Amino acid sequence: MRVRLLLLLLLGLQPHASASDLEARLALADADRGRLLFGACRTCHYPEAVMGHNTGPNLSGIFGKVAGKQAGFDYYSPRFRAAGFVWTPQLMYAWLEAPMAMFPDSSMMSLGVPDAQDRADLIAFLMEATRRDAER
């Protein structure tokens, strides 16, 4: 909880406002639109477990995983590897807004996703992709 709060504060986000904003946006989220938006992310990440890692870690089942600790992916920055927080939709929402603000030494090459509904749609897509993988 302390790490989550610290990360949100570093990004200048209100923790409770961010969570309620995301909750409202997820209620309206369109996972199919998120799939289309994920096209830019797919250059480095796969949302399907069967695909394994790419130049970025695999994102299947990302929620509930400890950041910087995916087995088989060895390219995390030292700071990311030591972060120790657990990915939640709220943290992903903050991360997607300004990834380089959270981890400036990351090798992730993204300026972020400034539109809040786009971020919610991406999260809905990742949640759906994880459910599909679990059903296989």
Side-chain angles (χ1 to χ4, degrees):
M1 177 65 177
R2 283 180 50 194
V3 171
R4 177 177 167 261
L5 179 61
L6 177 62
L7 288 171
L8 292 173
L9 291 174
L10 285 172
L11 290 171
L13 301 173
Q14 297 290 334
H16 298 293
S18 178
S20 63
D21 181 49
L22 175 59
E23 197 172 296
R25 290 185 183 284
L26 280 176
L28 303 171
D30 181 343
D32 287 333
R33 187 169 175 280
R35 180 182 55 79
L36 295 174
L37 291 166
F38 191 81
C41 310
R42 197 171 190 81
T43 303
C44 300
H45 300 279
Y46 296 128
E48 307 91 359
V50 69
M51 297 296 289
H53 300 299
N54 194 356
T55 55
N58 186 284
L59 298 180
S60 177
I62 190 68
F63 302 115
K65 289 185 179 178
V66 177
K69 304 287 185 207
Q70 282 205 47
F73 187 77
D74 301 322
Y75 305 106
Y76 293 109
S77 67
R79 188 182 313 186
F80 208 115
R81 194 173 291 126
F85 64 85
V86 174
W87 283 112
T88 64
Q90 293 82 9
L91 279 173
M92 183 65 72
Y93 187 71
W95 163 262
L96 288 171
E97 184 175 13
M100 299 315 285
M102 287 175 81
F103 293 98
D105 64 342
S106 171
S107 60
M108 185 165 151
M109 298 184 329
S110 171
L111 297 176
V113 181
D115 185 86
Q117 193 59 52
D118 286 353
R119 293 192 307 272
D121 291 346
L122 281 165
I123 290 166
F125 167 67
L126 289 173
M127 294 168 90
E128 183 178 286
T130 295
R131 278 193 295 273
R132 279 195 314 266
D133 273 349
E135 292 171 358
R136 289 182 183 165

